[in-house]
């Protein structure tokens, strides 16, 4: 993806809905909570699969890419924190223990995990090995959905104006289409370009809540009536 302001930097490749009282497991004080949302049906399905198969990494997303150009780690972190402040759905913790139904709890303050290392003195082969080791170890650290910041970054300096980034997050936080949009916003925000207004995720949840689920279920039963063969993918 090219930065549309030139080649200086290039990348390869709400409102509360219910009252909740945090427990010790959740590590949040009430004043730190901005909103409480239900999960979308897709998120509920992903959460079920994640908890049912805890050893599986099926819903652990890890994106690795390189940045060519000047990059300041502190500014990198500030830019991502600004994007988390802009998108409340990226500031959630997913509470599923000690609650009647899983919920997305929006943190008032954005948080993320950032690990920075300078590998510029290492040979190319050593850099590749170190990156593979980091990615393997990162995948072996599943997110605690109730307590951890749900965005994790590794930022590694490879040389003058060359950086490697490893970005990890649970798939229930965002999809692949949103990932591309966020990277575009990152480039714009890093260069202090204005971003357009964003529609809150809570608006989508309001739309979902207004749908007639019974009617939708009846519709799909009608469409699939008589279909008994397994589908091949």
């Amino acid at each position: 993806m090219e930065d549309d302001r030139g080649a200086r930097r290039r990348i390869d490749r709400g409102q509360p809905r219910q009252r909740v009282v945090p427990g010790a497991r959740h590590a949040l004080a009430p004043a730190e909570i901005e909103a409480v949302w239900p999960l979308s049906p897709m998120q509920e399905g992903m959460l079920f699969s994640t908890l049912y198969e805890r050893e599986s990494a099926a819903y652990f997303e890890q994106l690795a890419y390189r940045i060519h150009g000047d990059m300041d780690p502190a500014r990198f972190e500030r830019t991502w924190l600004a994007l988390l402040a802009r998108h409340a759905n990226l500031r959630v913790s997913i509470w599923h223990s000690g609650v009647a139904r899983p919920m997305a709890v929006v943190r008032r303050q954005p948080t993320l995990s950032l690990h920075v290392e300078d590998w510029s003195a290492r040979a190319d082969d050593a850099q590749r090995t170190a990156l593979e080791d980091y990615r393997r170890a990162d995948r072996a650290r599943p997110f605690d959905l109730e307590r951890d910041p749900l965005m994790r970054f590794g930022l590694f300096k490879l040389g003058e104006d060359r950086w490697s980034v490893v970005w990890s997050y649970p798939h229930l936080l965002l999809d692949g289409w949103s990932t591309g949009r966020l990277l575009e916003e990152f480039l714009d925000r890093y260069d202090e370009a204005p971003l357009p207004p964003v529609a809150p995720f809570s608006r989508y949840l309001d739309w979902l809540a207004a749908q007639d689920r019974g009617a939708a279920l009846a519709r799909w039963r009608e469409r699939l009536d008589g279909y008994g063969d397994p589908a091949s993918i």
Side-chain angles (χ1 to χ4, degrees):
M1 185 192 319
E2 290 285 346
D3 184 343
D4 58 10
R5 283 166 304 284
R8 185 176 65 85
R9 191 159 41 256
R10 186 176 77 253
I11 293 180
D12 294 338
R13 92 104 355 216
Q15 71 264 13
R17 294 166 178 270
Q18 56 180 304
R19 185 174 182 274
V20 61
V21 179
R25 174 76 184 90
H26 303 124
L28 275 182
E32 298 176 280
I33 297 173
E34 179 178 305
V36 179
W37 296 339
L39 301 185
S40 71
M42 183 67 74
Q43 288 175 318
E44 287 181 332
M46 290 181 181
L47 176 63
F48 174 83
S49 297
T50 299
L51 298 178
Y52 185 74
E53 297 183 284
R54 293 180 182 270
E55 300 304 313
S56 172
Y59 293 108
F60 181 98
E61 299 296 320
Q62 186 189 80
L63 176 65
Y65 57 93
R66 289 193 176 187
I67 295 178
H68 299 262
D70 61 315
M71 177 59 58
D72 172 43
R75 190 170 175 182
F76 177 95
E77 182 177 25
R78 288 196 305 271
T79 300
W80 275 110
L81 288 173
L83 293 180
L84 267 62
R86 169 177 164 86
H87 299 283
N89 53 303
L90 302 182
R91 286 184 269 122
V92 298
S93 296
I94 308 299
W95 290 7
H96 54 82
S97 62
V99 294
R101 184 165 184 167
M103 61 186 70
V105 178
V106 182
R107 295 169 177 260
R108 196 173 297 279
Q109 294 297 324
T111 59
L112 56 79
S113 174
L114 174 62
H115 177 78
V116 182
E117 287 190 52
D118 185 346
W119 294 347
S120 58
R122 303 186 187 187
D124 290 348
D125 287 347
Q127 290 179 351
R128 283 192 291 270
T129 299
L131 183 61
E132 291 170 2
D133 290 344
Y134 175 86
R135 294 189 65 180
R136 188 181 306 110
D138 180 61
R139 286 193 296 268
R141 285 196 301 140
F143 287 94
D144 183 331
L145 298 175
E146 296 187 294
R147 299 171 65 95
D148 289 349
L150 297 188
M151 277 203 187
R152 195 157 69 210
F153 293 91
L155 181 60
F156 308 103
K157 184 173 183 179
L158 305 180
E160 189 66 29
D161 293 338
R162 291 191 301 117
W163 298 79
S164 183
V165 182
V166 179
W167 174 20
S168 303
Y169 56 89
H171 189 29
L172 59 74
L173 196 65
L174 72 163
D175 58 19
W177 183 83
S178 301
T179 300
R181 294 292 300 272
L182 271 178
L183 286 174
E184 291 174 1
E185 288 194 3
F186 169 81
L187 290 173
D188 288 338
R189 180 76 189 197
Y190 191 91
D191 285 331
E192 301 180 349
L195 297 178
V198 62
F201 186 72
S202 57
R203 185 179 301 173
Y204 168 66
L205 295 175
D206 288 338
W207 177 85
L208 274 180
Q211 303 310 299
D212 188 335
R213 300 184 72 172
L217 181 60
R219 171 71 169 169
W220 279 107
R221 281 176 172 163
E222 178 185 352
R223 293 294 299 271
L224 297 175
D225 184 44
Y227 185 86
D229 296 332
S232 298
I233 299 179

